[in-house]
Amino acid sequence: MNIVNKVTLRHLKENKKRTLITIVGTIISVAMVVAVATLGSSFLNMLQRDTIKTFGEWHVMYNELNQEQIESIHNEANTKSLSLIRDIGYAYLEQPTDENKPYLYINELNLSAFEQMQVQLLEGRLPQNNSEVVISEEMLNGSEKLIEVGDTLELEIGARSAKYDDFFINKGENSSLYTIDGENKEFLIELEKKEYSVVGIIEEPLWDHYWSSGYSIISLLNEQSPLSSADYFGYVTLDKVKRTVFEEGERFAKEHQIENVDFNHELLRYQGITINDNVQATMYGLLSIIMVVIMIGSISLIFNSFAISVSERSRYLGMLSSVGATKRQKRNSVYFEGFIIGAISIPIGIIAGITGIGVTLIFVNSLLGSIGYDQEMSLVISPVSILISVLISTLTIFISTYIPAKRASKITAIDAIRQSHDIKLSKKTVKTSSFIKNFFGIEAEIALKNIKRNKKRYYVTVFSLMTSIILFLTVSYFSYSLSKSMELSQETVNFDISISSHNSGGQLDELLSKLDQVEGITAESLNQMIYLTTNVEKEYLPDSLLQSIEEVPEELVNGKYSYGVDLVSMNQNMFEQYVTSIGLDVEDFDQTNQHQAILVNQIQYENAEQGKYVEGESIKLQEGDTLQLELTTYSEEIDDMVVDEYGEVEIGALTNELPLGNFYSNLGSIILIVSPAAFEGIVDQMEYVNHTLYIQSNDPIATQEQLELMDNIDFMNITNTYMQRQADENLLKIMSIFMYGFITLITLISVANIFNTISTSIALRKREFAMLKSMGMTPKAFNKMIRFESLFFGMKAILYGLPISVIIMYLIYMSNQYAFSYTFTLPWIEIMIVMVSVFMIVGLAMLYSISKVKKENIIDVLKQENI
């Protein structure tokens, strides 16, 4: 080790506090980079495993395959495995306990399919030929007849048909039972007898659901025998998943005359492949912005540390120049300091980042089960991610040391003795406005002159504060963008339980009157809804709809566009509560003859053409505008569509709030809320009205159990959305845990940065403070001067930091616009928090630093030549 490096090491040891702050800041920055990469790998791994368990391990699905096509798939170079499933048909289940599941659903799977489709054996063994079957565990509870391993099933297998006109229903899909008014209208045709031996019991297969009409039993597909028909499903697992998987799948299907091809979009998405490039561009854009922000924060901290280090070492660097040290040796001394910092910080940062995520996952895994994920999030350490993290951290340290190293190389012996490289004064440099002195006092003027006389330290401090503002607001807005994206990509659901009936609304009216007997219900709404249409002038169409119409002008008929109208009403009590909650007068809308409607004007929908989720206005209508409502139905007499008019409604109010219920938003449709009386006057015993009872409860599970015990409930459909909403809320909680942890680390870097800069700056100004005190400055005046310095630092940082933060937030917003469309709004609460925090942090840093120099003896400090 040469003498310059030895002196550098001694300097690091002598300035332990600054060295420690630099090392800690670097460790935090490295830990953040590693944590982001490790978290991403772990989360994607968990999503992949959960998707495989839910949908199977496959990438491309081909339908209705014949023998030649199957052989072509086998011979394809990128085919890793091919799972074949053959739909055999349905057979009646003896003594079913659920009248909506009267069937057995028989399939044949090849050996690959048993593995790829996650067939989990509970008892016995898997079938070894097509005369043996395994049965679903759900089937044991679905029949009163006891079935065990070793039993023989004699079945008559056929296809499902409806009662009228031999209408064929859903072959090859375990769909729900076809009923009319709750009565089963299906029967089996083309029956063939077959005998099976039961050799095992399995978990419920992936393709069975609570609404399925049958329980699956599975046999082995014999691939050695010729496949005689083209009703085989082929699920392909690819050897290498490429970004061209969609184009190659479509091309392969076209070349081999395969009519139907589909993709496992969920699994492909979590493997980094999406058919929607906008979503992928959004993901990469957001991650790039966040990584750049992390690097800027880290560079700011490390750069400031090295810049201050060079200022502190100016005399000894000048001394080295006087004894013959070259520019290269002086420059390398700073690089060597960076190397020492990196050699210590990077390994510790990697370990800290991985450990931090590992500890976080322990707490997160307890929430995963409640959001529907059976898989725990395992800690996945990607070597590539670690390598990238090391490279990013090394690059960060190099960038941070480059400018200080260049400065160090230029310090001459004369400059070091004069210390003219740090402070260069002229009358113009320290000139201040008379307003400062007259309005704030001499202390404020001295504070401002102190700042102006050493602009480098001033710029370093302001830059540190500005970076802190940018980091905090950027990460906060990033968190908001994630929440907004999730909100836009999900349906609006504000209820816990929904109940519908095939028998119009009579049964629901009766049930509504009995809900006071059910504990836990906090709100209920019996909604009536009918789908109508109205013709809207072009001038009232929103801009997004006008753009699509320009491409298809024939959608305008006589200059008007046909809008869908969801006309909705509810029971009287709930209607009054809803109108009052949005600040309106019930009497203005509760009229029979005067059809006043409330227009829900803000909608969220998925725009398939643009490939993004959109938030915007549904229509450009104002209060007082009217709409002519129409109903379009099919007439058998004339074999054509018939349009019936149902009067006008007047827009009485606009709102963005939806009432209790389930609503679907689409561009080109609107939601109108009317009173029960107005709805009855418009509809007038129309046959096409949907009735649904929506319930909110403080204990939805217990409420559903009580509802299921009530009379006639078997003829109604009950759906509990509470669990799904809980899953969504818990997913947001998990995201918040990571985001707030991220913000915490960002804040630590920022605070360390500010304290490091200010405390070092104050320490280097000991002689200046001693001189002011020796000239008669009182402690009160001294403290006032320091407060004004803090104020000037904070104001300048906010003046620069806020505009830059807004620009970065807008870049995040624009990056998100590839997949989600919503209005840009500033996070005013976070901005206020930042403004208050900046002055608090600067003030505390100043007070802390001043407390260290207050006890210094004035004479002793003035005697010191270099501090």
Coordinates of all heavy atoms in Angstrom, one line a residue, residues 18 25 136 152 156 222 226 230 235 293 301 345 431 506 530-531 549 574 610 654 695 711 741 764 774 781 810 820 865:
R18 N -18.2 10.8 10.2 CA -18.6 11.0 8.8 C -18.4 9.7 8.0 O -19.2 9.3 7.2 CB -17.7 12.1 8.2 CG -18.1 12.3 6.7 CD -17.1 13.3 6.1 NE -15.8 12.9 6.1 CZ -15.3 12.0 5.3 NH1 -16.0 11.4 4.4 NH2 -14.0 11.6 5.4
G25 N -25.2 5.0 5.0 CA -26.0 5.4 3.8 C -25.8 4.5 2.6 O -26.7 4.2 1.9
S136 N -63.3 -37.4 -7.6 CA -63.0 -36.2 -6.9 C -63.5 -36.4 -5.5 O -64.6 -37.0 -5.2 CB -63.7 -35.0 -7.6 OG -63.8 -33.9 -6.7
T152 N -67.0 -50.6 -8.4 CA -67.2 -50.5 -9.8 C -68.3 -49.6 -10.2 O -69.4 -49.6 -9.5 CB -67.4 -51.9 -10.4 OG1 -66.3 -52.8 -10.1 CG2 -67.7 -51.9 -11.9
E156 N -73.9 -44.8 -17.9 CA -74.4 -44.5 -19.2 C -74.0 -43.1 -19.6 O -74.5 -42.1 -19.0 CB -75.9 -44.7 -19.3 CG -76.4 -46.1 -19.2 CD -77.9 -46.2 -19.5 OE1 -78.6 -45.3 -19.1 OE2 -78.3 -47.2 -20.1
N222 N -55.0 -43.5 -23.4 CA -54.0 -44.3 -24.0 C -53.5 -43.7 -25.3 O -54.2 -43.7 -26.3 CB -54.6 -45.7 -24.3 CG -53.6 -46.7 -24.8 OD1 -52.4 -46.4 -25.0 ND2 -54.1 -47.9 -25.1
P226 N -54.7 -45.4 -31.7 CA -55.0 -44.3 -32.6 C -56.1 -43.4 -32.0 O -57.1 -43.9 -31.4 CB -55.5 -45.0 -33.9 CG -55.0 -46.3 -33.8 CD -54.9 -46.7 -32.4
A230 N -61.5 -35.6 -33.3 CA -60.7 -34.3 -33.1 C -61.3 -33.6 -31.9 O -61.6 -32.4 -32.0 CB -60.8 -33.5 -34.4
Y235 N -52.5 -29.1 -24.0 CA -51.9 -28.1 -23.2 C -50.4 -28.2 -23.3 O -49.9 -29.2 -22.8 CB -52.4 -28.2 -21.8 CG -53.9 -27.9 -21.6 CD1 -54.8 -28.9 -21.8 CD2 -54.4 -26.7 -21.3 CE1 -56.2 -28.7 -21.6 CE2 -55.7 -26.4 -21.1 CZ -56.6 -27.5 -21.3 OH -58.0 -27.2 -21.1
V293 N -34.4 6.9 -9.1 CA -34.6 7.7 -7.8 C -33.7 7.2 -6.7 O -33.1 7.9 -6.0 CB -36.1 7.7 -7.4 CG1 -36.3 8.2 -6.0 CG2 -36.9 8.5 -8.4
L301 N -26.1 11.2 -1.3 CA -25.5 11.0 0.0 C -24.0 10.8 -0.1 O -23.2 11.4 0.6 CB -26.1 9.8 0.7 CG -25.5 9.4 2.0 CD1 -25.6 10.5 3.1 CD2 -26.2 8.1 2.5
S345 N -19.4 -1.7 2.4 CA -20.8 -1.5 2.4 C -21.6 -2.5 1.5 O -22.7 -2.9 1.8 CB -21.1 0.0 1.9 OG -20.5 0.9 2.7
K431 N -23.6 40.3 -1.6 CA -24.6 41.4 -1.5 C -26.0 40.8 -1.2 O -26.4 39.8 -1.8 CB -24.6 42.1 -2.8 CG -25.5 43.4 -2.8 CD -25.5 44.1 -4.1 CE -26.4 45.3 -4.1 NZ -26.4 46.1 -5.4
G506 N -90.6 -10.9 -6.6 CA -91.6 -11.3 -5.6 C -90.9 -11.9 -4.4 O -91.2 -11.5 -3.2
I530 N -82.9 -2.4 -15.5 CA -83.2 -2.8 -16.9 C -82.3 -2.1 -17.8 O -81.9 -0.9 -17.6 CB -84.7 -2.4 -17.2 CG1 -85.1 -3.0 -18.6 CG2 -84.9 -0.9 -17.2 CD1 -86.5 -2.9 -18.9
Y531 N -81.9 -2.8 -18.9 CA -81.0 -2.3 -19.9 C -81.8 -1.7 -21.0 O -82.5 -2.4 -21.7 CB -80.0 -3.4 -20.4 CG -79.0 -2.8 -21.4 CD1 -77.9 -2.2 -20.9 CD2 -79.2 -3.0 -22.7 CE1 -76.9 -1.7 -21.8 CE2 -78.2 -2.5 -23.6 CZ -77.1 -1.9 -23.1 OH -76.2 -1.4 -24.0
I549 N -65.1 6.7 -32.7 CA -66.1 6.9 -33.8 C -65.5 7.4 -35.1 O -66.0 7.1 -36.2 CB -67.2 7.8 -33.3 CG1 -68.0 7.1 -32.2 CG2 -68.2 8.2 -34.4 CD1 -69.1 7.9 -31.5
M574 N -83.6 2.8 0.9 CA -82.2 3.0 0.4 C -82.1 4.1 -0.6 O -81.1 4.8 -0.6 CB -81.8 1.6 -0.2 CG -80.4 1.7 -0.8 SD -79.1 2.2 0.4 CE -79.2 0.8 1.6
Q610 N -57.5 0.5 -26.8 CA -56.3 1.1 -26.3 C -55.4 0.2 -25.5 O -54.3 0.5 -25.2 CB -56.7 2.4 -25.5 CG -57.4 3.4 -26.3 CD -57.8 4.6 -25.5 OE1 -57.3 4.8 -24.4 NE2 -58.7 5.5 -26.0
L654 N -75.8 15.3 -11.3 CA -74.7 14.5 -11.7 C -73.9 14.2 -10.4 O -73.8 14.9 -9.5 CB -73.8 15.3 -12.6 CG -74.4 15.9 -13.9 CD1 -73.3 16.8 -14.6 CD2 -74.9 14.8 -14.8
I695 N -76.6 -6.7 0.2 CA -76.5 -6.6 1.6 C -75.1 -6.3 2.1 O -74.1 -6.8 1.5 CB -76.9 -8.0 2.3 CG1 -78.4 -8.3 2.0 CG2 -76.7 -8.0 3.8 CD1 -78.8 -9.7 2.4
D711 N -86.6 -19.7 4.6 CA -87.6 -20.4 3.7 C -87.3 -19.9 2.2 O -87.0 -18.7 2.0 CB -89.0 -20.1 4.0 CG -89.4 -20.7 5.4 OD1 -88.7 -21.7 5.8 OD2 -90.3 -20.2 6.0
G741 N -42.2 0.4 3.9 CA -40.8 0.0 4.3 C -39.8 0.7 3.3 O -38.7 1.2 3.8
L764 N -17.0 22.7 10.4 CA -15.9 23.4 9.7 C -16.0 24.9 9.9 O -15.1 25.6 9.4 CB -16.0 23.0 8.2 CG -15.7 21.6 7.8 CD1 -16.0 21.3 6.3 CD2 -14.3 21.2 8.1
S774 N -16.8 36.6 19.4 CA -15.7 37.5 19.9 C -16.0 39.0 19.6 O -15.6 39.9 20.3 CB -14.4 37.1 19.4 OG -14.3 37.4 18.0
A781 N -28.9 36.3 19.6 CA -28.7 36.7 18.2 C -28.1 35.6 17.4 O -28.4 35.4 16.2 CB -27.8 37.9 18.2
Y810 N -45.2 13.4 -12.6 CA -45.9 13.4 -13.9 C -45.3 12.3 -14.9 O -46.1 11.7 -15.6 CB -45.8 14.7 -14.5 CG -46.8 14.9 -15.7 CD1 -48.1 15.0 -15.6 CD2 -46.2 14.9 -17.0 CE1 -49.0 15.2 -16.7 CE2 -47.1 15.0 -18.1 CZ -48.5 15.1 -17.9 OH -49.3 15.2 -19.0
F820 N -53.2 2.4 -17.9 CA -54.3 3.0 -17.0 C -54.5 4.4 -17.4 O -53.5 5.2 -17.5 CB -54.0 2.8 -15.5 CG -53.7 1.4 -15.2 CD1 -52.4 0.9 -15.1 CD2 -54.7 0.5 -14.9 CE1 -52.1 -0.4 -14.7 CE2 -54.4 -0.8 -14.5 CZ -53.1 -1.3 -14.5
E865 N -5.7 26.4 13.4 CA -5.5 26.8 12.0 C -6.4 26.0 11.0 O -6.8 26.5 10.0 CB -4.0 26.6 11.6 CG -3.0 27.5 12.3 CD -1.6 27.4 11.8 OE1 -1.4 26.6 10.9 OE2 -0.8 28.1 12.3

